[in-house]
Amino acid sequence: MAAKGMNKINRIRTFALSLVFIGIFVMYIGLFFDSSPIIMTITMILGFVFVISSSGVYFWIGMISTNTVKVECPNCGKITKVLGKVDACMYCDEPLTMDPELEGKEFDPKYNRKSHNNT
Ligand SMILES: [Zn+2]
């Protein structure tokens, strides 16, 4: 799992998922402050805000998913979603580019491999 996650959508999904857990964790912490209604209320609201913002992030993922392009990864052969000009494969973290000008540039030799396969 640590090796994966370079793909932008995967990273945002991980971020949204961690927001849910942070929110639940904060609300859970608040249960220990049952003697102090103020702290308990603050932690409940804070945790609630985390969970709500996570669903906002999920909504955002749905919005930007319409802008992604499905391509076949030249490295692992699976269909992956590319967001923006440069993104990593969702499965093997192979760097992929949608910008033809970036292909063939020397800053990353892996981009050359893709342009080579396409031609
Ligand atoms: Zn791949």
Side-chain angles (χ1 to χ4, degrees):
M1 180 115 185
K4 304 285 178 187
M6 288 294 290
N7 181 271
K8 284 170 191 167
I9 289 183
N10 277 355
R11 273 191 294 187
I12 299 168
R13 274 210 192 107
T14 309
F15 173 68
L17 192 66
S18 55
L19 272 181
V20 174
F21 283 114
I22 290 169
I24 292 170
F25 182 71
V26 168
M27 285 193 275
Y28 181 72
I29 293 292
L31 293 177
F32 292 102
F33 293 96
D34 52 351
S35 57
S36 170
I38 298 165
I39 296 177
M40 196 173 170
T41 306
I42 290 171
T43 51
M44 285 297 159
I45 291 172
L46 205 65
F48 187 68
V49 166
F50 274 119
V51 173
I52 287 296
S53 55
S54 125
S55 52
V57 172
Y58 272 116
F59 181 74
W60 181 50
I61 293 171
M63 296 287 284
I64 60 175
S65 288
T66 57
N67 294 326
T68 56
V69 181
K70 282 182 182 174
V71 293
E72 189 182 325
C73 175
N75 188 40
C76 65
K78 289 177 179 170
I79 303 296
T80 183
K81 289 174 186 168
V82 171
L83 178 62
K85 283 185 177 178
V86 180
D87 206 351
C89 173
M90 293 173 91
Y91 305 99
C92 66
D93 284 344
E94 170 85 1
L96 305 167
T97 177
M98 299 305 296
D99 192 345
E101 291 178 13
L102 285 175
E103 292 184 13
K105 287 202 174 173
E106 289 183 4
F107 71 94
D108 193 331
K110 284 177 180 174
Y111 290 133
N112 289 333
R113 188 156 25 132
K114 181 172 187 247
S115 62
H116 182 73
N117 283 358
N118 279 354
T119 50

